[in-house]
Amino acid sequence: MITLVENTKTLTGDRALVTEQATQNESDPALGVARPGIPVPLHCLPVTDATVLELYEYVFAPWVKLLGLRQFKVYPGIVSAMLPQNDALKLSSGAVCGQAIMAAIDSVASLSVGTTGRITKGTVYQHTHFLRPAVNDDYQVRAEVLRFGKASAFTETRVSFASTGRLVAHASLEFAF
């Protein structure tokens, strides 16, 4: 990807303001860069069982897709997905890396906010508690919107062992509109 950046300085009193305008000459879909001429698929909003995979494929970065989230289930204000075992996500101890779990949490929670049809500006807050190591199982990630507000939405996400339902991690997130 080639990005041109134009710097412009404007004097304001004693301070100089610097603004940057970036333009993309090329786009690399493998890097998850926005594709010029292809708009965000607004027909996928609000997120439903029928549209979740198309939106997921368009919106999320390639490294997030490598998590392998699958088996999405969508209800108004709720999205769940399966995070399968993957050796690439494991630490030397055999436990899934917390960063991978947090990325799965954020991804599923952002989809749950999309069930309203409103486009978020992104995650503004995420607090995650890890209750036990994520080892030797697939993981169910379930996000539920607790409150849809004018300017933000608050979600709660639970990560559990798929086989036993025992809680692995719990997170609270806020998304801005």
Side-chain angles (χ1 to χ4, degrees):
M1 176 182 83
I2 299 172
T3 302
L4 296 178
V5 177
E6 178 185 316
N7 287 325
T8 310
K9 289 187 180 183
T10 307
L11 290 177
T12 307
D14 294 335
R15 297 178 295 171
L17 299 176
V18 178
T19 60
E20 292 184 345
Q21 181 180 7
T23 57
Q24 291 179 341
N25 285 344
E26 296 178 19
S27 180
D28 185 351
L31 296 175
V33 177
R35 296 165 289 211
I38 301 175
V40 173
L42 294 177
H43 66 278
C44 293
L45 296 173
V47 178
T48 64
D49 276 330
T51 62
V52 67
L53 289 178
E54 183 179 354
L55 189 65
Y56 176 78
E57 284 300 316
Y58 183 88
V59 171
F60 292 99
W63 67 267
V64 173
K65 293 177 199 170
L66 291 175
L67 295 172
L69 292 171
R70 61 177 193 236
Q71 298 177 9
F72 290 94
K73 293 182 180 128
V74 181
Y75 309 95
I78 301 171
V79 173
S80 67
M82 184 70 64
L83 174 63
Q85 282 194 69
N86 181 343
D87 288 340
L89 304 178
K90 293 180 180 177
L91 301 168
S92 60
S93 66
V96 176
C97 174
Q99 293 163 320
I101 292 171
M102 290 177 71
I105 288 169
D106 186 48
S107 300
V108 175
S110 67
L111 289 170
S112 72
V113 173
T115 62
T116 65
R118 294 172 69 189
I119 298 173
T120 72
K121 293 179 182 173
T123 311
V124 294
Y125 174 82
Q126 179 173 345
H127 184 88
T128 306
H129 288 274
F130 295 96
L131 286 80
R132 58 182 46 88
V135 292
N136 302 324
D137 203 347
D138 292 339
Y139 309 94
Q140 188 68 39
V141 182
R142 183 181 187 276
E144 181 174 355
V145 179
L146 301 176
R147 179 180 171 273
F148 284 111
K150 249 185 197 182
S152 61
F154 296 89
T155 68
E156 176 181 64
T157 306
R158 299 169 60 91
V159 179
S160 306
F161 288 112
S163 62
T164 65
R166 290 184 66 193
L167 192 61
V168 172
H170 175 269
S172 299
L173 295 90
E174 179 184 4
F175 294 86
F177 290 118

